[in-house]
Amino acid sequence: MSEIFSPTTLTVNQLIEKIDTGELGLPELQRPFVWKDTKVRDLFDSMMKGYPIGYLMIWECPELEKKKTIGVGGHNYETPKEVIIDGQQRLTSLYAVMKGQKVINSKFDEKSIIISYNPLKNVFEVGTKATQKDPEWIYNISDIFTSKKAYKLTQEFADTLREYRKTKDKELTEDEEDAIHENINSVLNLKSYTLPVFDIKSSADEEDVSHIFVRVNSGGVALKQNDFILTLLSLYWDEGRKEIEEFSRASIIPSKNKATSYNRLTTVSPQDIIRVVMAYAFDRARLKYGYKLLRGANFDKKGAVDEELRIKRFDIMKEKLPDVLDVGNWHEFLKAIINSGYVSGDMILSDNTLFYAYAMYLIAKYRFKASYNDNMHLTSLWFFYASLISLYTGSFESTFEQHLNSIKELTSLDEYRKFILTRVNERLTEDYFKITLLGSDGLAVSGRGNNAWNAYVASLNMNGIKVLFSKGSLTVPMLFEPDIGGKRKPLEKHHLFPKAYLKLLGYTDGKINQMANYAFIKWDDNMEILDEAPSKYYPIVCKGMSAEEISKMEDENALPHGWETMDYDEFLNERRKLMAQKIEQAVNQLRKNAMN
């Protein structure tokens, strides 16, 4: 087996020079710069004391890049020959401080790293107003590294400190001045600090690199396929990566000035966008193959990399990514999700299901020219179905790639509609609702919720059902709206057969917390109910309601008539059946809309 890496050493100055010339790429592979300034301070302190600060891992770029000169002052390399894949935070710290450059923080904002230094005490601290005002400190050590005349800077510091000491009736001794010169010079010489480097050859593929990373990385952090894809974007289309990150960042920040990706259903990550664009543009669900595509892999020639293929595929990505990041498309899609009754992110247990549905939404819109209404109804049905049966769990990439392969063969919207309806009809049969959904893969489980429970709640949301025991106009969808002030939510999921009551009867938590024993009610109602038996509290909360109103309320909330006097086990069985019926009715409603 050929050697896929070799150990070497490089000085900090050599690494900085490689970055400046463009030979070494420094993309935010694992995450934006997230180190606290205290950690940067400790890094310089360790170097000053001669302690080891770990290794760097560098990977030669897979392509054979030609060296090009891009004008005076520009990079010598059109694209990097190497990329840093471990030690990025350390190298970013060193580069930013020594070059006086700003970094991008976890919120994607620019910030400066200010590290102060006291030459007499030979200590580093994070820059503060105190170190900025104190003549004993060099407020920003970047000034040491960026100064063209370090000796002059050192002398000016000593002169300023001497004058300050005089105002305090003190003096700067000759020994102290010598220490200032010596220690500032030692800081400047940190550029010569040597780091061990694992130099991984271009012949190594991403699996080799992942294995090396995990084996060597003391934190045991595994690299993911989207890390490699984002690295390629940083190398060959950094603007695209920035657009992905901005879309992701904006998904959690409300904007009053313009439409953005902000929403109440999900927090978008760059990996989510990568999944969508790989599926939409390349019919690929496995990110492993997505990486190989963008790398320029020739699948007809195992192991071969073709630069023309890489360029062609990046062109496709550049064409398709704007559709994915179009906020109009994004919010049209989210309306389809809300239309299926999933009005809150709390109800969505699988981000994969959401973003795969988005990829299908885009495919339907652009490939099959689906109208807004057609696409909304088809997407609503598919998302409800996929969520209910936990379609994209386990080997989710394989499952979705099978779907993409089937969709790739379709030629019209009618065929796409048939694809959706056929799979829904094959899985959601009468037996599914009367047998499967009532069992341990559905509603007969304990816990705070699963996909079956969320589908039941979605069915209530679709029909705007009033909150159980509510005498006003409060509906279930309204319960998921954001609070205005106050820390407590306006609802809780309540035990219909109270927990304390069931414990007195000898039931364990697993049986008490069955999903069929839950319902959403208002806080004030819950406080009144306390721990009484249903037969005692039910007449109290229903006081003032007619028999017809009570019957309607029970029908809408899947409560069997006479439930309050039922044996608990009988109640669970009967309510599961009614909850399953609600879910079936929602599916039939969505299916009917998708067929038209």
Side-chain angles (χ1 to χ4, degrees):
M1 180 178 177
S2 60
E3 186 180 75
I4 59 175
F5 78 92
S6 60
T8 186
T9 58
L10 289 170
T11 65
V12 172
N13 206 40
Q14 287 173 319
L15 289 162
I16 287 176
E17 185 176 351
K18 280 175 172 281
I19 296 168
D20 280 340
T21 62
E23 181 180 358
L24 174 61
L26 187 59
E28 300 111 345
L29 172 63
Q30 295 162 267
R31 57 192 70 86
F33 186 81
V34 296
W35 265 19
K36 293 181 178 179
D37 289 353
T38 52
K39 202 161 185 179
V40 181
R41 174 204 64 194
D42 293 344
L43 177 71
F44 277 90
D45 182 66
S46 294
M47 293 169 63
M48 195 70 162
K49 293 175 179 175
Y51 297 163
I53 61 170
Y55 66 93
L56 300 179
M57 189 179 292
I58 291 175
W59 188 18
E60 292 178 353
C61 292
E63 282 73 43
L64 296 175
E65 300 295 341
K66 296 179 180 179
K67 184 174 179 179
K68 295 184 179 181
T69 302
I70 314 179
V72 177
H75 286 342
N76 293 333
Y77 295 84
E78 185 178 28
T79 54
K81 291 180 64 179
E82 302 168 323
V83 61
I84 177 87
I85 64 169
D86 192 21
Q88 181 247 344
Q89 302 295 308
R90 273 165 289 153
L91 191 51
T92 300
S93 300
L94 294 170
Y95 185 83
V97 172
M98 292 184 177
K99 300 290 289 186
Q101 297 291 319
K102 293 183 177 181
V103 296
I104 303 297
N105 65 15
S106 59
K107 296 181 179 179
F108 302 96
D109 296 323
E110 284 191 337
K111 62 158 286 187
S112 296
I113 303 173
I114 307 296
I115 303 299
S116 300
Y117 178 65
N118 187 317
L120 290 175
K121 295 181 178 179
N122 193 25
V123 294
F124 295 93
E125 283 296 343
V126 174
T128 63
K129 288 183 179 180
T131 61
Q132 187 174 23
K133 293 178 181 179
D134 192 341
E136 303 274 345
W137 289 82
I138 295 175
Y139 172 59
N140 189 350
I141 62 173
S142 293
D143 295 339
I144 298 175
F145 296 109
T146 58
S147 175
K148 293 182 179 179
K149 296 182 179 179
Y151 180 84
K152 182 179 179 182
L153 179 147
T154 304
Q155 192 59 53
E156 288 177 349
F157 174 82
D159 292 342
T160 301
L161 182 55
R162 184 183 299 104
E163 293 303 313
Y164 172 75
R165 290 276 184 91
K166 288 180 180 179
T167 66
K168 302 293 183 180
D169 294 325
K170 297 179 180 179
E171 66 176 14
L172 182 68
T173 67
E174 186 175 329
D175 287 344
E176 285 180 321
E177 185 164 352
D178 287 344
I180 288 171
H181 282 272
E182 182 178 345
N183 287 340
I184 291 178
N185 192 55
S186 295
V187 172
L188 186 62
N189 285 338
L190 292 179
K191 284 187 175 183
S192 299
Y193 185 95
T194 300
L195 287 89
V197 175
F198 284 93
D199 192 355
I200 303 176
K201 307 304 180 184
S202 61
S203 57
D205 63 21
E206 72 281 2
E207 291 183 10
D208 292 326
V209 176
S210 292
H211 287 310
I212 294 172
F213 187 94
V214 172
R215 297 288 178 89
V216 176
N217 190 302
S218 60
V221 179
L223 293 177
K224 299 181 177 64
Q225 294 298 332
N226 68 288
D227 291 327
F228 291 107
I229 292 174
L230 289 170
T231 299
L232 289 177
L233 285 175
S234 296
L235 293 175
Y236 302 119
W237 188 34
D238 195 46
E239 181 183 349
R241 174 168 180 158
K242 289 177 180 177
E243 289 173 358
I244 290 172
E245 290 176 334
E246 172 57 27
F247 188 93
S248 302
R249 182 192 67 83
S251 71
I252 59 173
I253 302 175
S255 174
K256 297 180 180 179
N257 301 323
K258 62 178 181 178
T260 68
S261 58
Y262 174 73
N263 68 97
R264 286 169 32 208
L265 292 184
T266 188
T267 297
V268 183
S269 72
Q271 174 172 302
D272 298 324
I273 300 302
I274 292 297
R275 287 201 182 281
V276 175
V277 75
M278 286 295 111
Y280 169 54
F282 300 105
D283 295 307
R284 293 285 185 175
R286 293 184 177 93
L287 291 189
K288 172 181 177 179
Y289 291 111
Y291 165 79
K292 291 181 182 294
L293 277 166
L294 293 179
R295 184 186 177 193
N298 187 333
F299 294 109
D300 294 329
K301 299 179 181 179
K302 188 175 181 180
V305 173
D306 188 323
E307 186 174 355
E308 290 185 5
L309 280 176
R310 173 177 63 76
I311 294 171
K312 179 180 178 181
R313 289 163 182 167
F314 262 91
D315 286 343
I316 293 173
M317 191 172 189
K318 290 176 182 179
E319 177 188 350
K320 298 297 185 181
L321 183 61
D323 293 339
V324 177
L325 302 183
D326 184 288
V327 294
N329 287 339
W330 174 239
H331 287 291
E332 281 182 5
F333 163 72
L334 292 179
K335 287 177 183 176
I337 304 305
I338 293 170
N339 182 65
S340 69
Y342 288 81
V343 299
S344 167
D346 293 337
M347 300 174 62
I348 299 172
L349 301 184
S350 168
D351 286 338
N352 293 328
T353 302
L354 184 72
F355 288 99
Y356 283 164
Y358 185 36
M360 291 179 65
Y361 183 91
L362 294 171
I363 289 170
K365 178 173 182 176
Y366 290 101
R367 193 180 303 175
F368 302 121
K369 310 301 179 185
S371 68
Y372 171 78
N373 283 333
D374 270 336
N375 210 356
M376 180 178 71
H377 292 312
L378 289 167
T379 302
S380 295
L381 173 61
W382 184 259
F383 181 78
F384 193 105
Y385 155 76
S387 297
L388 172 60
I389 67 169
S390 304
L391 181 61
Y392 297 123
T393 56
S395 302
F396 59 90
E397 287 188 334
S398 297
T399 300
F400 191 51
E401 188 136 323
Q402 290 172 9
H403 294 155
L404 290 171
N405 287 335
S406 297
I407 293 171
K408 187 165 55 176
E409 303 301 318
L410 307 180
T411 59
S412 68
L413 178 60
D414 285 340
E415 290 182 355
Y416 178 75
R417 191 192 314 275
K418 184 178 179 181
F419 167 87
I420 298 285
L421 291 169
T422 297
R423 279 155 182 78
V424 172
N425 294 339
E426 286 177 349
R427 184 68 180 270
L428 302 186
T429 62
E430 185 176 347
D431 282 348
Y432 176 83
F433 292 105
K434 292 191 175 181
I435 300 174
T436 306
L437 192 53
L438 304 183
S440 58
D441 289 334
L443 294 166
V445 294
S446 65
R448 299 188 62 83
N450 67 357
N451 280 323
W453 166 264
N454 289 333
Y456 165 69
V457 176
S459 70
L460 301 183
N461 290 334
M462 283 175 57
N463 293 290
I465 298 302
K466 286 178 62 175
V467 174
L468 185 61
F469 307 149
S470 173
K471 300 178 179 65
S473 58
L474 184 65
T475 62
V476 176
M478 293 167 64
L479 297 177
F480 291 95
E481 294 177 359
D483 296 345
I484 300 176
K487 297 180 180 179
R488 210 174 199 185
K489 291 185 178 180
L491 76 151
E492 73 164 2
K493 201 163 62 174
H494 170 70
H495 290 87
L496 291 166
F497 276 67
K499 191 170 186 177
Y501 168 71
L502 290 175
K503 279 188 176 292
L504 289 175
L505 297 180
Y507 287 98
T508 61
D509 285 345
K511 198 63 177 288
I512 293 170
N513 296 327
Q514 287 288 304
M515 289 184 195
N517 192 29
Y518 282 120
F520 284 123
I521 68 168
K522 293 188 300 178
W523 268 110
D524 52 355
D525 288 332
N526 186 45
M527 297 306 290
E528 292 174 8
I529 290 168
L530 299 176
D531 298 323
E532 297 289 345
S535 59
K536 291 185 178 181
Y537 79 71
Y538 194 47
I540 297 174
V541 296
C542 291
K543 188 176 181 180
M545 299 176 67
S546 67
E548 183 179 349
E549 288 173 330
I550 293 173
S551 179
K552 180 182 179 184
M553 177 186 70
E554 291 174 344
D555 287 339
E556 289 179 340
N557 288 276
L559 286 174
H561 297 304
W563 70 274
E564 71 276 15
T565 61
M566 283 183 176
D567 171 79
Y568 181 57
D569 290 305
E570 179 189 6
F571 161 75
L572 291 178
N573 290 331
E574 293 304 312
R575 188 162 193 245
R576 287 184 193 119
K577 294 176 185 177
L578 295 177
M579 292 171 73
Q581 287 178 18
K582 291 293 182 185
I583 297 172
E584 184 177 16
Q585 289 167 8
V587 169
N588 288 338
Q589 183 178 333
L590 293 169
R591 186 159 32 195
K592 180 180 178 182
N593 292 338
M595 291 173 64
N596 294 333

